[in-house]
């Protein structure tokens, strides 16, 4: 390189810059006068340009290309560039050229005279303006000193460049030289090339070099800080290791050190996610610097015990076998087809997609229908751990999210506690009685459950105690409720609701034979051969000793029989007892309920209605009577506002259609009307008794009796329309239990019969109506 430069300098005095030169676009490279740069040319046009220049005056113009410009046309290059001389040139075997160029003078394009095969242009040499003043001398010295600092701080600039700057006497050449060796943008380099006033050029370069110096000093400061921290950490590590070695040699390892080492080992083995690992290490560092007598010591240690004991990445090794799961569910529970089908669907999808999120199911139904016990069966079918948490009476939001560590005796919420108890991050987690959650000044647990039961959020559940997110997306949450209405709407929206209606008599018979009797025999220590309860006896228990949608009372009565049999076996040494319907009085006493409630003669003013309750469906009697008076309406039986409105609507309809009932239109002027619904201690409400009230009132007004074997339900309007109601399955089952043979339903409820077992539909006659007139024809 030095030889090439010497040759160029010898030629420079002899070579004159012509008025026309070949133009070589230099991309983003700006060359200043007195600079030497290497050139590599492989394109045919560039090779021809160099050949033509070498065969001529050996001078070409080097111009930078504008930012964003495409191609090498004359429009995409700056007007000001540098005239350069070609010193040495080598032709490579592949036809490309290697050459050295030396900048000579600043030049400006006057006119482009050729574009192909390369650009040629008329140029003029532009001279810089130099006024030697004390200010110029000060700028020159200051710039030299600043550049010396740059060289000392920058690892990319060799010391020889700093020495070379000292030997440059010309201010303009100094500015060009320094600009070529610092980090500048294309526009900034081009601006320095175009600046002809040497004083202004020095000021520009001084500004740029101050900026560069500030960046380098900041980088050096950061580097020294990082190195200092690293050295400090290394020093502490070595000192700790030496201290451990000394203590080990002396046999003086203290309890705190052992405790810290065990916690550190637990953290390493726990496979914590990055955020939890960072928090655990921070807390362990605090603990290691804290004396064991400090109040905070036990708090920090308890926190670390919780963090390291949670199953952050530990799951259950489950084998997804849909057929086996179906067998397990059928073994444990009779019926509940909707729930079983949904679980098997989940298993099928799980087999196809391993990383799917767990479903969030809400089982809604009367007490005793198997909602809680189905959770254990689901866990067994999935091969997972089972965790149950009762939400009944929970009023504190901290029960779900935990307490912050600032409180004395703080602990994680019951969700995290359940996960720890399960020992895996994918258990079946049952939240029992979600409709019984309360709220007070300590917060609303239902609102806290919104994050837990939302598949889009629970992958980062934030417990106040842990203070780091925990992934609940692999947990299968199952909630249970007796009623759907008390559940917070936003919470209900996050769950897939599956309704579990009451069981029919036949279903209860099968469940009792398959599950309940076997369980009670085992719990009371009676072998299977010593007690037999006939099918008729089981049905008699269902009809006369229980009235429920579920099975709890049935199991309780069977347990009573088993205990009495156990006593007889011990006292009388009886080998075998068979319980028949006739013997039930001996074991259970007189029947508590009358099965054929619909038996007896038809009565005036009494209609049989169907009601929905928390325990399933029930039969409701509505009584109406007319007494001398002035047209007042009396309602008794603890009726709610909606039910009272239904009674008034029934009265208005009866008055409007008095003639069709065979009475005078002004009958109410001399009569008071009293409507009563028995079981007066029990609150009642809802619109579905409207049809029953109308029939009872019409019967009382007209004096015609109501057929006792007919039960009905439906909402009434002033125009006599019968509107649909809910709870049809439960109501129909109640009608069947009561011995009713005909059920009147709104026409729009006909679709709900799909949920009724076929055996029940075969034993009942269903009448679907649109108008109250149709009801009156069927009932009176």
């Amino acid at each position: 390189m030095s030889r090439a430069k010497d040759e160029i300098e010898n030629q420079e005095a002899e070579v004159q810059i012509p008025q026309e030169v070949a133009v070589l676009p230099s991309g983003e490279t700006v060359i200043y006068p007195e600079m030497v740069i290497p050139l590599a040319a492989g394109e045919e046009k560039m090779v021809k340009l160099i050949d033509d220049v070498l065969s001529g005056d050996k001078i070409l113009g080097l111009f930078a290309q504008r930012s964003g410009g495409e191609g090498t046309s004359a429009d995409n290059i700056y007007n000001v560039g540098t005239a350069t001389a070609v010193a040495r040139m080598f032709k490579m075997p592949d036809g490309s050229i290697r050459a050295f160029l030396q900048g000579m003078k600043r030049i400006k394009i006057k006119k482009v005279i050729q574009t192909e095969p390369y650009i040629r242009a008329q140029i003029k040499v532009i001279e810089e303006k130099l006024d030697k003043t004390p200010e110029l001398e000060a700028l020159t010295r200051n710039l030299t000193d600043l550049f010396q600092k740059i060289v000392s701080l920058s690892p990319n600039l060799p010391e020889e460049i700093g020495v070379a700057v000292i030997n440059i006497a010309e201010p303009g050449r100094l500015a060009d030289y320094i600009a070529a060796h610092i980090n500048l943008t294309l526009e900034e380099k081009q601006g320095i090339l175009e600046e002809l006033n040497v004083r202004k050029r020095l000021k520009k370069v001084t500004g740029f070099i101050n900026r560069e110096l500030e960046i380098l000093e900041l980088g050096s400061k950061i580097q020294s800080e990082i190195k200092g921290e690293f050295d400090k950490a290394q020093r502490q590590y070595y000192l700790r290791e030496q201290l451990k070695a000394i203590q080990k040699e002396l046999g003086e390892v203290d309890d705190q050190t052992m405790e810290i080492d065990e916690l550190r080992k637990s953290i390493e083995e726990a496979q914590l996610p990055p955020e939890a690992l960072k928090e655990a290490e921070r807390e362990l560092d605090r603990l290691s610097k804290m004396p064991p007598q400090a109040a905070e010591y036990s708090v920090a240690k308890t926190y670390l015990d919780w963090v390291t004991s949670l199953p952050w990445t530990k799951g259950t090794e489950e084998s997804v076998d849909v057929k086996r799961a179906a067998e397990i569910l059928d073994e444990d529970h009779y019926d509940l087809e909707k729930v079983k089908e949904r679980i098997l669907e989940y298993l099928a999808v799980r087999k196809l997609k391993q990383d799917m999120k767990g479903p969030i199911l809400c089982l809604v139904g009367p007490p005793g229908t198997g909602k809680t016990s189905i959770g254990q069966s689901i866990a067994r079918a999935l091969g997972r751990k089972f965790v149950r948490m009762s939400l009944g009476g929970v009023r504190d939001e901290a029960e779900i999210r935990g307490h912050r560590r600032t409180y004395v005796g703080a602990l994680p919420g019951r969700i995290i506690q359940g996960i720890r108890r399960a020992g895996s991050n994918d258990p079946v987690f049952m939240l029992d009685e979600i409709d019984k959650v309360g709220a007070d000044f300590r917060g609303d647990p239902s609102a806290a459950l919104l994050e837990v039961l939302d598949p889009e959020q629970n992958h980062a559940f934030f417990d106040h105690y842990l203070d780091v997110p925990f992934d609940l997306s692999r947990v299968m949450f199952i909630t249970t409720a007796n009623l759907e209405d008390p559940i917070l709407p936003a919470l209900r929206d996050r769950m897939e609701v599956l309704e579990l209606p009451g069981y029919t008599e036949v279903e209860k018979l099968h469940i009792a034979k398959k599950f309940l009797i076997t369980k009670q025999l085992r719990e009371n220590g009676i072998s299977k051969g010593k007690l037999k309860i006939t099918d008729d006896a089981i049905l008699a228990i269902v009809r006369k000793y229980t009235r429920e949608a579920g099975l709890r009372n049935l199991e309780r009565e069977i347990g009573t029989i088993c205990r009495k049999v156990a006593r007889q076996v011990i006292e009388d040494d009886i080998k075998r007892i068979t319980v028949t319907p006739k013997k039930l009085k001996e074991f259970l006493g007189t029947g508590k309920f009358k099965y054929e409630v619909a038996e007896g003669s038809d009565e005036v003013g009494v209609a049989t209605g169907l009601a929905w309750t928390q325990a399933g469906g029930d039969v409701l009697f509505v009584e109406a009577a007319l007494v001398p008076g002035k047209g007042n309406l009396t309602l008794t039986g603890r009726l709610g506002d909606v039910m009272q409105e239904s009674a008034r609507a029934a009265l208005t309809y009866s008055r409007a259609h008095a003639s069709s009932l065979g009475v005078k239109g002004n009958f109410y002027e001399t009569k008071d009307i009293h409507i009563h619904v028995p079981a007066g201690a029990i609150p009642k409400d809802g619109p579905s008794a409207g049809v029953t009230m109308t029939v009872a009132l019409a019967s009382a007004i007209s004096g015609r009796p109501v057929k006792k074997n007919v039960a009905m339900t439906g909402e009434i309007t002033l125009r006599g329309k019968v509107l649909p109601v809910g709870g049809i399955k439960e109501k129909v089952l109640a009608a069947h239990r009561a011995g009713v043979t005909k059920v009147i339903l709104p026409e729009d409820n006909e679709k709900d019969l799909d949920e009724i077992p076929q055996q029940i539909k075969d034993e009942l006659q269903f009448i679907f109506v649109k108008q109250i007139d149709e009801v009156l024809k069927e009932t009176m």
Side-chain angles (χ1 to χ4, degrees):
M1 174 71 78
S2 59
R3 182 181 173 188
K5 186 175 179 181
D6 293 340
E7 292 182 9
I8 292 169
E9 288 175 351
N10 293 333
Q11 294 170 0
E12 187 178 352
E14 304 171 4
V15 176
Q16 295 296 323
I17 299 173
Q19 293 183 351
E20 291 183 11
V21 295
V23 173
L24 177 63
S26 61
E28 295 188 357
T29 302
V30 176
I31 184 171
Y32 298 101
E34 308 296 333
M35 276 183 60
V36 177
I37 63 167
L39 171 69
E43 293 183 17
E44 187 178 343
K45 290 182 179 180
M46 288 186 67
V47 172
K48 179 170 177 53
L49 185 151
I50 299 297
D51 284 339
D52 292 350
V53 167
L54 286 172
S55 61
D57 48 25
K58 298 185 180 181
I59 301 295
L60 58 83
L62 207 62
F63 294 84
Q65 292 175 250
R66 299 179 188 275
S67 298
E70 296 182 0
T72 56
S73 64
D75 296 333
N76 291 333
I77 61 175
Y78 287 100
N79 284 338
V80 176
T82 306
T84 58
V86 180
R88 296 177 66 88
M89 188 271 287
F90 307 94
K91 281 205 173 184
M92 309 305 290
D94 59 357
S96 62
I97 288 177
R98 301 288 186 272
F100 292 101
L101 306 179
Q102 162 116 18
M104 299 173 68
K105 294 284 187 180
R106 287 172 167 79
I107 58 174
K108 186 174 183 179
I109 294 176
K110 293 169 62 179
K111 181 181 179 182
V112 176
I113 59 175
Q114 174 186 314
T115 57
E116 292 295 337
Y118 52 81
I119 302 172
R120 285 187 66 83
Q122 291 181 356
I123 61 159
K124 72 171 182 178
V125 176
I126 50 179
E127 300 291 345
E128 60 185 25
K129 299 173 183 177
L130 177 62
D131 296 325
K132 290 193 176 183
T133 62
E135 181 188 4
L136 188 71
E137 180 65 24
L139 285 171
T140 304
R141 291 182 182 181
N142 181 54
L143 188 58
T144 303
D145 293 341
L146 289 174
F147 189 68
Q148 294 293 330
K149 291 182 181 178
I150 292 282
V151 172
S152 65
L153 290 173
S154 177
N156 301 322
L157 295 177
E159 292 182 4
E160 290 80 2
I161 293 179
V163 175
V165 165
I166 297 172
N167 296 324
I168 298 175
E170 298 174 17
R173 186 180 172 194
L174 176 69
D176 292 345
Y177 186 84
I178 292 174
H181 288 90
I182 61 176
N183 292 322
L184 299 177
T185 64
L186 171 62
E187 289 75 13
E188 289 169 346
K189 288 181 178 180
Q190 183 66 27
I192 291 170
L193 182 67
E194 294 179 4
E195 183 56 69
L196 301 180
N197 189 308
V198 175
R199 182 178 59 81
K200 290 182 179 180
R201 193 189 310 165
L202 286 169
K203 282 187 175 183
K204 274 188 180 183
V205 176
T206 302
F208 293 145
I209 207 167
N210 275 318
R211 180 188 69 190
E212 184 71 13
L213 185 60
E214 186 177 347
I215 293 171
L216 287 171
E217 286 176 345
L218 185 60
S220 178
K221 181 182 177 184
I222 292 170
Q223 182 66 22
S224 63
E225 286 176 357
I226 293 172
K227 187 174 184 300
E229 289 175 4
F230 179 77
D231 290 345
K232 182 181 177 183
Q234 285 287 96
R235 186 168 60 256
Q236 288 177 349
Y237 173 77
Y238 286 130
L239 288 173
R240 283 199 188 99
E241 291 299 314
Q242 287 175 0
L243 184 61
K244 285 179 187 177
I246 293 168
Q247 288 176 337
K248 186 177 179 182
E249 193 69 27
L250 296 173
E252 296 178 354
V253 178
D254 61 301
D255 293 340
Q256 184 185 5
T257 303
M258 290 176 62
E259 206 168 54
I260 297 295
D261 289 343
E262 287 174 5
L263 286 170
R264 184 172 283 109
K265 185 178 179 182
S266 298
I267 291 172
E268 292 171 358
E269 293 174 352
Q271 297 180 350
L272 304 178
E275 197 168 342
L277 179 62
K278 182 179 177 182
E279 182 68 17
E281 288 177 342
R282 187 181 71 84
E283 202 67 22
L284 183 64
D285 186 54
R286 284 182 63 239
L287 190 70
S288 63
K289 298 172 184 175
M290 206 183 295
Q293 298 79 18
E296 285 289 313
Y297 188 87
S298 61
V299 175
K301 184 179 180 302
T302 304
Y303 173 77
L304 288 171
D305 287 339
W306 270 101
V307 170
T308 55
S309 63
L310 287 174
W312 297 91
T313 57
K314 184 181 177 183
T316 308
E317 293 183 8
E318 57 179 21
S319 57
V320 182
D321 188 340
V322 179
K323 291 183 179 179
R324 175 62 183 151
E327 291 173 4
I328 291 173
L329 292 173
D330 289 336
E331 281 175 16
D332 293 349
H333 287 81
Y334 181 82
D335 196 42
L336 302 181
E337 294 302 327
K338 283 186 179 179
V339 182
K340 292 178 183 177
E341 184 180 357
R342 181 63 183 86
I343 297 304
L344 296 177
E345 287 171 358
Y346 163 72
L347 276 178
V349 176
R350 173 86 183 189
K351 194 163 187 176
L352 298 174
K353 189 175 187 292
Q354 295 294 325
D355 59 343
M356 76 168 293
K357 296 174 182 175
I360 296 172
L361 309 179
C362 180
L363 310 181
V364 178
T369 50
K371 299 183 298 296
T372 303
S373 60
I374 191 69
Q376 292 176 322
S377 297
I378 291 170
R380 194 161 77 91
L382 298 176
R384 295 188 184 186
K385 302 289 181 65
F386 177 73
V387 182
R388 178 183 168 275
M389 171 183 169
S390 178
L391 294 173
V394 173
R395 293 178 174 273
D396 190 353
E397 178 247 3
E399 291 278 341
I400 308 299
R401 286 188 176 275
H403 295 85
R404 300 188 187 280
R405 277 178 279 158
T406 51
Y407 294 103
V408 176
L411 283 174
R414 291 171 66 183
I415 299 292
I416 293 297
Q417 289 182 36
I419 296 293
R420 182 195 188 186
R421 200 162 53 247
S424 68
N425 62 4
D426 58 351
V428 174
F429 204 121
M430 174 159 280
L431 299 170
D432 222 355
E433 310 294 353
I434 197 170
D435 57 330
K436 311 296 190 304
V437 176
D440 61 12
F441 65 93
R442 290 169 292 185
D444 185 357
S446 293
L449 285 170
L450 293 176
E451 182 183 5
V452 177
L453 299 180
D454 190 343
E456 300 302 321
Q457 298 181 43
N458 65 11
H459 66 278
F461 170 65
F462 204 86
D463 185 276
H464 288 156
Y465 181 82
L466 293 182
D467 209 26
V468 290
F470 189 89
D471 186 4
L472 296 177
S473 62
R474 288 171 57 84
V475 179
M476 183 177 187
F477 285 102
I478 299 176
T479 65
T480 69
N482 295 131
L483 296 172
E484 191 176 342
D485 293 338
I487 303 174
L488 191 72
L491 187 59
R492 187 168 64 241
D493 182 60
R494 284 163 165 77
M495 301 184 290
E496 184 179 343
V497 178
L498 299 177
E499 294 186 1
L500 276 68
Y503 295 107
T504 65
E505 287 183 355
V506 176
E507 289 170 344
K508 288 182 179 181
L509 173 63
H510 283 291
I511 294 170
K513 290 170 64 178
K514 189 175 181 182
F515 301 104
L516 302 184
I517 294 175
T518 305
K519 178 182 176 184
Q520 287 301 320
L521 288 174
R522 184 175 63 252
E523 290 186 357
N524 289 281
I526 302 172
S527 60
K528 290 184 179 180
K530 291 188 181 295
L531 174 62
K532 180 183 179 183
I533 304 177
T534 64
D535 292 358
D536 290 338
I538 295 172
L539 289 173
I541 296 171
V542 170
R543 292 167 179 171
K544 297 181 180 180
Y545 293 89
T546 66
R547 180 158 291 173
E548 60 179 346
L551 300 160
R552 286 207 177 101
N553 286 327
L554 176 58
E555 184 178 1
R556 202 170 286 124
E557 298 297 337
I558 293 172
T560 301
I561 293 173
C562 290
R563 288 192 297 274
K564 292 186 181 298
V565 168
R567 182 179 176 185
Q568 290 183 12
V569 168
I570 296 299
E571 292 180 353
D572 304 331
D573 196 23
I574 297 173
K575 301 298 183 185
R576 180 180 174 85
I577 296 177
T578 301
V579 179
T580 62
K582 292 181 180 180
K583 288 186 177 182
L584 285 179
K585 189 173 182 180
E586 176 189 340
F587 290 100
L588 301 176
T590 306
K592 300 173 185 176
F593 303 98
K594 188 177 179 181
Y595 174 58
E596 299 290 344
V597 295
E599 289 180 353
S601 59
D602 300 341
E603 294 184 45
V604 174
V606 180
T608 306
L610 298 172
W612 182 92
T613 69
Q614 293 187 29
D618 206 352
V619 172
L620 191 73
F621 297 102
V622 177
E623 301 173 350
L626 273 65
V627 295
K630 298 181 180 180
N632 296 323
L633 175 64
T634 303
L635 302 172
T636 56
R638 290 197 70 181
L639 309 185
D641 292 340
V642 178
M643 208 164 181
Q644 292 183 30
E645 291 170 2
S646 296
R648 294 189 184 95
L651 176 59
T652 302
Y653 176 82
S654 299
R655 287 172 56 182
H657 296 81
S659 57
S660 63
L661 296 174
V663 297
K664 294 181 180 180
N666 61 347
F667 72 92
Y668 59 89
E669 293 178 358
T670 59
K671 300 288 182 182
D672 282 349
I673 299 165
H674 188 164
I675 296 177
H676 176 69
V677 182
I682 301 173
K684 310 166 192 73
D685 205 358
S688 62
V691 166
T692 313
M693 288 181 168
T694 306
V695 171
L697 194 55
S699 171
I701 293 169
S702 64
R704 289 182 284 172
V706 180
K707 295 175 183 178
K708 198 69 175 178
N709 68 329
V710 180
M712 63 208 77
T713 185
E715 184 180 350
I716 181 75
T717 71
L718 293 177
R719 294 176 295 164
K721 288 183 175 294
V722 180
L723 303 181
V725 292
I728 294 299
K729 181 176 181 180
E730 289 83 356
K731 292 176 180 178
V732 170
L733 294 179
H736 183 261
R737 283 198 303 269
V740 170
T741 58
K742 184 188 291 186
V743 178
I744 298 175
L745 299 173
E747 188 176 66
D748 290 341
N749 283 123
E750 185 174 1
K751 64 182 184 302
D752 296 318
L753 288 192
D754 293 341
E755 299 180 6
I756 310 295
Q758 188 61 43
Q759 177 208 353
I760 304 293
K761 290 194 280 189
D762 293 340
E763 295 178 11
L764 293 175
Q765 180 186 358
F766 294 95
I767 306 296
F768 299 99
V769 297
K770 280 187 174 180
Q771 295 286 335
I772 194 66
D773 296 342
E774 302 172 49
V775 180
L776 296 175
K777 288 177 185 177
E778 294 289 341
T779 55
M780 293 192 297

